[in-house]
């Protein structure tokens, strides 16, 4: 399967933070959830893809094109939506579109008008008069109206009500139906990914700790619940992280069959993406 986005060995350092050899790929016709707590490096990766900051090592390819050497062609194929859209506030939506359109050879005015109707956005309304959810809808309309092949969304559901979040996620699922387009969805709201993502990449402190199909995560990862026997030093290496409480011991495993064989009396619950993120971020990991 061809990759819409391929990142390999990506590095970028700031004071007190560094991306460390980040590598993952987003196949065509799929939605990749880029997840991690605040400060994990998600937005830095998005900025590097868009060449808003310069990488120190590694490579980024969009449909096989280098994002630096082929920057113009790459940006023509990307649609970007940020959690706080930075558009001119005191201007009608139709005028904002007329400024944006010349930057994209594939701009489709008929599609833009269709997006306005679908999202119930009045073309004559000023951007500052829109609610946060309506601003997100307008940003998505702009991103979709130049037939973007790779849609990048940075925390797009932050602060949105549940109804619009569901509408947005359903719309993203529709984007990839032709099997050619792809979506990179950066978020710390893991429940959004449980519904929508085909693949999940988990970042912690600038490193990729997990990148896999969502269905594989569901099949392979579990929260194991039991007593002190889970702390057995011989069998404990089966777990990626362990935490104790007054009520017992919980552990995270990425190998359900082996863990069931080792701890037949324990209780196994399928791990959500949030479970995995919280356990691995807790600092109680076992290599």
């Amino acid at each position: 399967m061809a990759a819409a986005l391929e990142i390999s060995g990506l590095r970028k350092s700031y004071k007190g933070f560094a991306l460390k050899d980040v590598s993952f790929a987003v196949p065509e016709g799929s939605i990749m959830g880029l997840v991690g707590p605040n400060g994990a490096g998600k937005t830095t990766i998005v900025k590097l893809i868009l060449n808003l900051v310069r990488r120190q090592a590694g490579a980024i390819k969009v449909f096989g094109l280098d994002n630096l050497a082929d920057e113009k062609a790459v940006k023509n194929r990307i649609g970007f939506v940020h959690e706080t859209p930075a558009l001119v506030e005191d201007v009608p939506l139709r005028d904002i579109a007329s400024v944006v359109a010349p930057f994209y050879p594939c701009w489709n005015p008929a599609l833009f008008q269709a997006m306005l109707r679908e999202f119930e956005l009045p073309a004559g309304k000023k951007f500052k008069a829109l609610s946060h959810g309506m601003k997100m809808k307008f940003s998505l309309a702009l991103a979709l109206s130049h037939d973007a092949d790779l849609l990048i969304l940075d925390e797009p559901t932050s602060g949105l009500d549940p109804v619009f979040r569901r509408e947005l996620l359903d719309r993203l699922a529709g984007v990839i139906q032709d099997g050619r387009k792809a979506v990179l969805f950066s978020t710390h709201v893991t429940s959004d990914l449980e519904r929508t993502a085909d693949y999940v990449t988990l970042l912690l402190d600038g490193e990729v700790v997990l990148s896999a199909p969502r269905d594989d995560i569901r099949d392979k990862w579990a929260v194991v619940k039991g007593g002190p026997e889970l702390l057995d030093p011989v069998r404990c290496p089966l777990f990626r992280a362990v935490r104790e409480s007054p009520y017992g011991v919980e552990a995270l495993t990425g190998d359900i069959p082996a863990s069931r064989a080792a701890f037949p009396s324990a209780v196994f619950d399928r791990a959500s993406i949030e479970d995995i993120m919280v356990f691995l971020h807790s600092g109680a990991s076992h290599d």
Side-chain angles (χ1 to χ4, degrees):
M1 187 181 297
L5 172 66
E6 188 174 8
I7 293 177
S8 55
L10 190 61
R11 294 185 186 181
K12 178 65 178 178
S13 296
Y14 296 101
K15 185 177 180 180
F17 172 79
L19 286 180
K20 311 174 190 77
D21 294 318
V22 168
S23 299
F24 64 88
V26 183
E28 293 182 19
S30 72
I31 297 175
M32 166 72 80
L34 182 62
V35 64
N38 291 330
K42 304 185 299 297
T43 297
T44 298
I45 290 174
V46 170
K47 288 180 178 180
L48 287 164
I49 296 170
L50 298 174
N51 195 26
L52 299 178
V53 296
R54 284 299 182 116
R55 61 184 183 244
Q56 291 165 325
I60 300 172
K61 293 188 176 181
V62 177
F63 296 97
L65 301 174
D66 183 88
N67 78 315
L68 300 184
D70 305 295
E71 183 174 8
K72 184 175 180 179
V74 164
K75 287 187 173 178
N76 279 331
R77 300 187 71 172
I78 291 177
F80 175 58
V81 178
H82 190 261
E83 65 173 317
T84 51
L87 297 171
V88 181
E89 292 281 339
D90 200 30
V91 174
L93 304 188
R94 66 165 69 91
D95 293 343
I96 293 175
S98 68
V99 172
V100 171
F103 289 95
Y104 297 101
C106 293
W107 179 266
N108 185 333
L111 179 57
F112 175 70
Q113 292 300 323
M115 290 288 98
L116 292 185
R117 290 191 294 272
E118 178 181 339
F119 294 148
E120 299 179 342
L121 293 165
K125 199 165 189 176
K126 292 184 177 180
F127 186 73
K128 69 178 181 180
L130 301 181
S131 67
H132 178 58
M134 297 293 273
K135 287 180 178 179
M136 293 302 299
K137 286 184 178 182
F138 181 64
S139 296
L140 185 59
L142 289 177
L144 293 174
S145 293
H146 64 90
D147 198 30
D149 294 317
L150 175 62
L151 193 60
I152 299 176
L153 303 101
D154 191 15
E155 300 285 358
T157 60
S158 179
L160 298 180
D161 66 76
V163 174
F164 179 62
R165 282 172 59 192
R166 177 66 62 89
E167 289 178 4
L168 175 60
L169 296 175
D170 289 344
R171 193 66 181 80
L172 293 181
V175 166
I176 63 170
Q177 290 307 304
D178 66 357
R180 179 176 58 89
K181 300 181 186 297
V183 176
L184 178 66
F185 187 110
S186 165
T187 184
H188 65 274
V189 184
T190 56
S191 58
D192 292 338
L193 304 182
E194 300 283 358
R195 172 177 171 79
T196 308
D198 301 297
Y199 297 85
V200 174
T201 294
L202 172 58
L203 282 174
L204 291 176
D205 298 322
E207 295 185 84
V208 173
V209 296
L210 172 66
S211 189
R214 182 189 58 177
D215 290 343
D216 284 1
I217 294 172
R218 287 173 172 169
D219 292 341
K220 295 178 180 178
W221 291 77
V223 176
V224 187
K225 299 177 181 179
E229 71 278 3
L230 298 184
L231 301 175
D232 176 9
V234 175
R235 295 177 291 177
C236 201
L238 288 168
F239 302 138
R240 290 290 302 273
V242 178
R243 63 187 182 196
E244 298 179 72
S245 77
Y247 309 102
V249 179
E250 291 184 329
L252 178 71
T253 182
D255 189 341
I256 294 175
S259 297
R260 282 191 186 278
F263 300 98
S265 62
V267 175
F268 285 74
D269 293 333
R270 296 289 181 184
S272 67
I273 298 169
E274 182 174 335
D275 289 330
I276 296 171
M277 183 173 73
V278 170
F279 265 97
L280 295 181
H281 190 55
S282 68
S285 299
H286 291 262
D287 294 329

